[in-house]
Structures are given as structure tokens and as C-alpha cells.
């Protein structure tokens, strides 16, 4: 009788050790899987949901996630759209704990240049916030042209459309200096 109890106790200990090993392996596998999660994976899951971020230069921005590309996210807040390079974000809030693994088709392959070229096509008036901020850290105008790693911004009076005679300056802004590009007209 004592032998049966001894063997039963040994079997219970082995089963417990196997269960503990399985749990540790599952936890390690979850950590390894999460180590491959990109910020874009978490943002894609929040599409249509509100998020908050603090950008370089202590610029807060919030809005609903509209699109996620390669290195950027588009947010919309009460009709104002913000194009935010992911490298200009100091922290995100309200991302939740989940993520959507893998590529998101064409949108995730499109870089910041593609998004800016769409703004150039639309001749949208924008405000470009620059790294470093300060009094000269915001430029209002129209995206004129987009190069491989810079954007030409035509500065002109707020009450005028982008016309040759109304342009007061043409500034070439490196992508690395862009913190946020926001629409100036709601809708």
C-alpha cells in the first residue's frame, strides 16, 4: 500500500513538473512572438479607434487611426488630419495590448514620400511641424513637390491659394525634420 502511494506521489510530481515546463515554454514562446511585433502592427489593430501621442518638441496629437504606412500613421481628429512619421513619436497611449501580425497589403509598403505626394496632388493647405519647434518650427503652406527624402513646401498667405505670384518662399524640408503634417482645413 505504501508503495502505491509513493508511486502515485512521484507521478503527481512528474505531471506537475511537465505542466510547469509547458507553461514556461508557452511563456517563452509568447515573449519570442511579441519580440517580432512592430509598432505598426499595434497601430493597425487600432484602425478607427482613438489614440494619443506625444511628438518630438512636446507636441501632443490625438485622433482616430485612419491609415498606417511604412514609417507613418494618419490620424483624424474632428475633421483635421495629421500625418505623423513614427520616428517623431516619443510615446503612444491607448494602443491596447493586441496587434495584427503581418503586412497590411499596399498601405504598409507606402512610405512617407507616398503620403506626402498625395497631399501635393490634392494641393491641400498644411501645417508642417518641425523637430526642434520654436517660433520657426511651424510652416504653413502647400506641399509643392516631394523628393526621395525631402518635401518642398510653398509658403503663401493664409487667405490665398498657391499661385506663382502668392508664394513668398519655397522651403525644402528633410523628412527627418518633419514631426507632423496637419491639414489646415477641416473635412
Amino acid at each position: 500500500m505504501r508503495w502505491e502511494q509513493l508511486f502515485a506521489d512521484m507521478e503527481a510530481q512528474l505531471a506537475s513538473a511537465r505542466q510547469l515546463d509547458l507553461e514556461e515554454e508557452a511563456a517563452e514562446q509568447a515573449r519570442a512572438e511579441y519580440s517580432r511585433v512592430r509598432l505598426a502592427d499595434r497601430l493597425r489593430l487600432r484602425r478607427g479607434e482613438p489614440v494619443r501621442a506625444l511628438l518630438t518638441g512636446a507636441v501632443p496629437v490625438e485622433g482616430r487611426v485612419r491609415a498606417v504606412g511604412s514609417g507613418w500613421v494618419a490620424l483624424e481628429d474632428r475633421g483635421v488630419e495629421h500625418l505623423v512619421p513614427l520616428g517623431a513619436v516619443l510615446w503612444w497611449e491607448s494602443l491596447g495590448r493586441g496587434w495584427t501580425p503581418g503586412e497590411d497589403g499596399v498601405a504598409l509598403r507606402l512610405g512617407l514620400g507616398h503620403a506626402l505626394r498625395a497631399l501635393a496632388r490634392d494641393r491641400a493647405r498644411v501645417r508642417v511641424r518641425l523637430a526642434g519647434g520654436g517660433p520657426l518650427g511651424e510652416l504653413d503652406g502647400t506641399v509643392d513637390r516631394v523628393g526621395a527624402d525631402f518635401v518642398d513646401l510653398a509658403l503663401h498667405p493664409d487667405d490665398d491659394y498657391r499661385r506663382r505670384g502668392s508664394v513668398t518662399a519655397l522651403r525644402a524640408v528633410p523628412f527627418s525634420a518633419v514631426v507632423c503634417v496637419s491639414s489646415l482645413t477641416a473635412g
Side-chain angles (χ1 to χ4, degrees):
M1 190 70 132
R2 290 194 329 166
W3 286 81
E4 286 178 17
Q5 287 177 341
L6 179 63
F7 289 132
D9 185 46
M10 287 175 61
E11 284 181 24
Q13 287 178 12
L14 283 173
S16 176
R18 276 192 296 254
Q19 181 63 32
L20 187 59
D21 284 347
L22 284 174
E23 289 172 5
E24 287 176 6
E25 186 178 331
E28 181 58 34
Q29 206 168 20
R31 283 189 292 273
E33 182 180 348
Y34 196 73
S35 73
R36 292 185 292 274
V37 174
R38 294 172 304 161
L39 188 54
D41 298 332
R42 293 186 68 195
L43 286 163
R44 271 199 323 277
L45 186 66
R46 301 299 297 171
R47 186 170 282 136
E49 300 294 324
V51 296
R52 293 182 60 218
L54 183 66
L55 309 180
T56 302
V59 176
V61 67
E62 59 185 272
R64 295 185 181 281
V65 176
R66 290 297 176 218
V68 180
S70 178
W72 58 270
V73 61
L75 305 175
E76 185 270 326
D77 182 33
R78 294 180 291 255
V80 177
E81 297 185 42
H82 306 285
L83 177 63
V84 179
L86 295 180
V89 179
L90 300 175
W91 55 253
W92 287 96
E93 190 175 280
S94 305
L95 290 186
R97 295 183 57 84
W99 69 90
T100 301
E103 296 288 318
D104 188 24
V106 175
L108 198 55
R109 292 190 303 264
L110 300 178
L112 183 60
H114 291 93
L116 290 168
R117 282 183 197 92
L119 293 174
R121 250 189 329 272
D122 289 349
R123 290 299 199 207
R125 286 207 21 86
V126 297
R127 172 169 291 140
V128 178
R129 289 184 178 87
L130 304 174
L136 300 176
E138 288 187 356
L139 302 174
D140 293 353
T142 302
V143 175
D144 220 24
R145 296 178 303 185
V146 181
D149 61 353
F150 70 96
V151 56
D152 281 340
L153 188 68
L155 307 182
H156 52 84
D158 293 344
D159 60 347
D160 203 354
Y161 292 104
R162 193 260 182 253
R163 293 187 195 106
R164 187 182 317 257
S166 65
V167 173
T168 59
L170 186 62
R171 301 233 173 114
V173 180
F175 288 173
S176 61
V178 175
V179 171
C180 183
V181 178
S182 301
S183 63
L184 288 177
T185 54

